[in-house]
Amino acid sequence: MSDLRDLYQEVIFDHNRNPRNYGVLDDANRKAEGFNPLCGDQITIYMIVNNAGIIEKVSFEGQGCAISTASASIMTEELIGKTAEQAEEIFDNFHTVVTGGESDADIGKLEVLSGVKDYPTRVKCATLPWHTSNAAINQLDEPVTTE
Amino acid sequence: MQTISAPAAFDVAAVRKDFPVLDQEVNGKPLVYLDNAASSQKPLQVQQAMNDYYRHDHANVHRGVHSLSQRATDAFENARTKVKDFLGAASEKEIIFVRSATEGLNLIASSYGRMVLREGDEVLITVLEHHSNIVPWQLICEQTGAKLKSVDVNEAGELDIQQYQALLTNRTKIAAFNHVSNALGTINPVKQMVKLAHQAGVTTVVDGSQAAPHLAIDVQDIGCDFYVITGHKMFGPTGIGVVYGKQALLEAMPPYQGGGEMIKQVSLEKSTYAELPAKFEAGTPDIAGSIGLGAAIDYMNEIGIENIAAHEHALLEYATAKAGEIEELRIIGTAKDKAAVLSFVIEGIHPHDLGTILDHEGVAVRTGHHCAQPLMQRFKVPATARASFAMYNTFDEIDVLISAIKKAIKMFN
C-alpha cells in the first residue's frame, strides 16, 4: 500500500492553501473553462500570449480538490515564459508521469504530483487544469471536460 | 465507545455473516462500507437464488412448451408477486420489470408524459431530485412544449410544501418527486403530496429508489399513480428495477418499447399489444435479476423492515451526534425525518480529498454531487461527502468513520 503522504506532500498543501496566480486576468487574450462532471470541479484558465507566441501571464480560478488546485497553481508557475509547443511538451511529460508511464523527462516542480499515479481515481483531478490550459492556448471554444 | 444497542430482534453480527463481501481489508484496514445509497451489497441468499436459477432452471420465459421454460416463467412471475406484495400493489398487472429506476422514470415520462402533455402544460419536480427524475422530464418537456417547474427546500433540506401546493395549478399535469432524497436523506411527506396533487387533478410519480431499502412501502396507502424502485439499492442485483403503475393508467398508455413479448398479433402493417404487464416488457427480460430481487425482498422481510429501519435510525442518530462534535464539519440536510444518509462538508477539505483519505482508512463513502447537481447549487457547495447506512453497518464502523474524518482534518490543518 502506498503512503498517503506520497500523494499529499507538504508542497501540495502549501499550494492548496495559497494558490499562486489565482484570480481573473482582466487583459487576458486566451481563456478556457474546464469541468470534471464526475465530481463537479470547475476551473477557468486565463492567459496572455504575446505576438511571439510566448505565454506572458497565466492565472486560474475555480473550485476543486487539493490535487487539482495544487496542480493548477504549480502549472501556472511552470507555463510562464513558455511557448505553446513547450507547454504541450511539459504536459505530455507530466501526463506520462501521473498515469504511471515510463518517463526519463525532468518535470521539475511537478514531480510533487507524481504520487497521483497510485490513485487512478485522482488522475483527472491533476490533469484537468492542463487540459483546460491546452484548450486556452489553442483557443478552443467548447468547454473542456474530463469525460 | 458509547454503546447503543440495536433492537433485541435484530442481530447485526448474524446479518453481516450473510454479506461476506464486508469481511475484507481495504488498504490494510477492515472495510467499512458506507456507500449504500449508491449501491448496497448483496446477501448470499440473493447470490444463491440467482445461481440456482442459472444452474437448474434457465430458459426463456413465456415461450417454450418445455419444462425449463415453464420453470423460468414460474420463477419470473413468482418474483413479480413478491414485488407486488412488497409495494402493496393491487395486482401483478401493475408491476412492470425494467432495467433500473432510471429506465422506469424514462418509461413513465416517455409513455405517459407524451400521452398527456401539450404545449403550455407543466410538470412539477423538486430540487431534491436525482438527475434520473429531472432529465427524463426535461426531455419530454422539450418534445411536447410543456414547462418544467421545481419546488425548493428550506435550509434543513425539507420541501417547501406551501410552495409545492402553490405550484400545482390547472396547467400542471404531472408531479414527480422522490420518497427519500438520495443526497440528503430527507423523507418527503409523499402521502400528503399525493393528496394535494390529486386535489389539483395532477398525476403523481414517486421515485422510491432510496426508500425501498429503509421504509415499509404501501403504494395504495400513499395513493400515488406511479412508484419506481431499483433492485441494487435494496440488496438485490444491478440491472433490475420496477415500475408500479395504477392499472387504468397503464392500460391507457402506449407501449414504451416495441419488440417481442409485448405483442398479441404482428403483421407487417400493424400490431396489437399484449395485456399488462407484458405490454411494457419488450424483449427477453432480466429473469435472473428479477429472481434476485425477489430473494432480496424475502431477505428483508425475514429480518423485518421495521427492525432494519430501527437499526438504521439508531445508526443515523449516533453518527449525527458524533459528527456534530466535529467543529469543522457541517451536515448538509438536517430534516426532521431522515433515512440513513449523512451528507456533510468539512471546512478546508474538498470532499474528494476527504474520500481518498477515508479510503486509506478502509472507509468507503461517496464524494461528489450524488447525481443531484441542482441540490448542490441550492446549498452552494460543489460537492459533499456522504456516508449512507444499511442494515449491516455497526456503531463501531461509525467510530472508525469519525476518527478517519478527524485524521483528515489534522492532516489538512
Side-chain angles (χ1 to χ4, degrees), chain A:
Chain A
M1 184 188 78
S2 56
D3 188 342
L4 206 48
R5 281 283 169 190
D6 292 340
L7 179 63
Y8 290 107
Q9 298 186 34
E10 204 43 56
V11 180
I12 304 245
F13 287 127
D14 176 41
H15 280 270
N16 184 45
R17 285 190 206 107
N18 308 298
R20 322 296 195 264
N21 302 305
Y22 189 86
V24 182
L25 209 54
D26 285 331
D27 46 352
N29 57 10
R30 300 279 196 284
K31 182 185 162 190
E33 268 191 279
F35 295 95
N36 182 343
L38 289 185
C39 61
D41 283 0
Q42 178 270 327
I43 188 170
T44 308
I45 301 280
Y46 302 88
M47 275 183 196
I48 298 174
V49 180
N50 69 18
N51 291 337
I54 290 168
I55 300 166
E56 283 189 355
K57 283 186 183 172
V58 198
S59 77
F60 78 102
E61 63 166 7
Q63 52 201 9
C65 60
I67 302 300
S68 77
T69 304
S71 179
S73 175
I74 298 168
M75 176 189 77
T76 59
E77 293 188 314
E78 292 292 308
L79 287 185
I80 292 169
K82 303 290 195 305
T83 64
E85 291 73 30
Q86 288 170 324
E88 204 161 314
E89 195 187 335
I90 298 171
F91 181 28
D92 283 347
N93 291 334
F94 175 67
H95 196 269
T96 304
V97 170
V98 296
T99 52
E102 291 288 324
S103 174
D104 298 329
D106 177 11
I107 58 169
K109 279 186 184 175
L110 292 164
E111 188 63 39
V112 298
L113 287 154
S114 63
V116 168
K117 66 178 182 291
D118 295 322
Y119 298 83
T121 58
R122 304 302 301 278
V123 169
K124 284 172 181 168
C125 308
T127 56
L128 176 64
W130 290 86
H131 286 296
T132 312
S133 274
N134 212 25
I137 294 169
N138 294 303
Q139 293 181 292
L140 302 176
D141 292 332
E142 285 287 302
V144 178
T145 96
T146 54
E147 296 309 301

Side-chain angles (χ1 to χ4, degrees), chain B residues 98-168:
Chain B
V98 288
R99 192 158 54 88
S100 57
T102 297
E103 188 179 46
L105 291 163
N106 276 280
L107 182 158
I108 300 163
S110 293
S111 173
Y112 184 77
R114 199 184 307 278
M115 183 175 83
V116 300
L117 292 173
R118 299 288 174 270
E119 194 166 347
D121 286 345
E122 291 175 6
V123 174
L124 185 57
I125 59 170
T126 87
V127 73
L128 276 180
E129 300 316 307
H130 188 283
H131 295 165
S132 61
N133 203 19
I134 301 175
V135 184
W137 301 113
Q138 289 174 338
L139 289 170
I140 201 69
C141 283
E142 270 170 30
Q143 290 162 18
T144 58
K147 271 192 199 145
L148 194 60
K149 297 264 173 141
S150 150
V151 185
D152 201 5
V153 289
N154 62 19
E155 282 305 307
E158 293 161 330
L159 284 176
D160 181 342
I161 295 298
Q162 276 186 329
Q163 189 196 23
Y164 169 74
Q165 194 166 4
L167 285 171
L168 291 167

Side-chain angles (χ1 to χ4, degrees), chain B residues 188-239:
Chain B
N188 291 317
V190 287
K191 191 172 173 179
Q192 181 195 2
M193 291 172 77
V194 167
K195 196 175 163 199
L196 290 169
H198 284 172
Q199 281 167 1
V202 175
T203 300
T204 51
V205 179
V206 182
D207 173 7
S209 307
Q210 209 61 50
H214 309 293
L215 309 174
I217 296 163
D218 183 338
V219 290
Q220 292 189 76
D221 180 58
I222 294 168
C224 55
D225 300 294
F226 297 98
Y227 196 98
V228 302
I229 56 172
T230 188
H232 74 96
K233 294 195 188 198
M234 50 185 287
F235 315 104
T238 55

Side-chain angles (χ1 to χ4, degrees), chain B residues 331-358:
Chain B
I331 296 174
I332 308 287
T334 50
K336 274 196 290 293
D337 279 337
K338 270 183 74 171
V341 168
L342 188 74
S343 213
F344 59 93
V345 291
I346 308 266
E347 201 185 319
I349 311 183
H350 189 280
H352 250 189
D353 295 314
L354 183 68
T356 295
I357 298 167
L358 295 190

Side-chain angles (χ1 to χ4, degrees), chain B residues 4-190:
Chain B
I4 295 179
S5 51
F10 186 79
D11 179 358
V12 70
V15 168
R16 288 180 72 86
K17 287 205 179 85
D18 294 330
F19 293 84
V21 70
L22 298 172
D23 183 22
Q24 63 172 297
E25 291 197 344
V26 166
N27 292 321
K29 305 279 170 60
L31 169 66
V32 173
Y33 187 78
L34 299 177
D35 193 19
N36 297 289
S39 197
S40 63
Q41 300 298 342
K42 326 301 174 200
L44 286 172
Q45 288 83 341
V46 168
Q47 299 172 35
Q48 189 69 43
M50 295 173 75
N51 200 29
D52 283 351
Y53 164 72
Y54 277 129
R55 274 186 82 114
H56 304 295
D57 303 324
H58 173 70
N60 212 330
V61 291
H62 302 139
R63 289 198 193 142
V65 293
H66 59 82
S67 298
L68 287 194
S69 177
Q70 189 57 48
R71 270 193 250 155
T73 303
D74 290 347
F76 181 60
E77 292 305 326
N78 185 32
R80 194 187 308 277
T81 302
K82 288 177 186 178
V83 173
K84 180 209 85 172
D85 293 340
F86 179 76
L87 293 177
S91 153
E92 280 87 352
K93 290 181 176 173
E94 299 181 322
I95 302 298
I96 317 286
F97 280 122
V98 288
R99 192 158 54 88
S100 57
T102 297
E103 188 179 46
L105 291 163
N106 276 280
L107 182 158
I108 300 163
S110 293
S111 173
Y112 184 77
R114 199 184 307 278
M115 183 175 83
V116 300
L117 292 173
R118 299 288 174 270
E119 194 166 347
D121 286 345
E122 291 175 6
V123 174
L124 185 57
I125 59 170
T126 87
V127 73
L128 276 180
E129 300 316 307
H130 188 283
H131 295 165
S132 61
N133 203 19
I134 301 175
V135 184
W137 301 113
Q138 289 174 338
L139 289 170
I140 201 69
C141 283
E142 270 170 30
Q143 290 162 18
T144 58
K147 271 192 199 145
L148 194 60
K149 297 264 173 141
S150 150
V151 185
D152 201 5
V153 289
N154 62 19
E155 282 305 307
E158 293 161 330
L159 284 176
D160 181 342
I161 295 298
Q162 276 186 329
Q163 189 196 23
Y164 169 74
Q165 194 166 4
L167 285 171
L168 291 167
T169 70
N170 56 9
R171 290 182 299 277
T172 316
K173 293 289 179 291
I174 300 166
F177 43 84
N178 59 37
H179 193 164
V180 175
S181 154
N182 73 303
L184 305 185
T186 308
I187 302 175
N188 291 317
V190 287

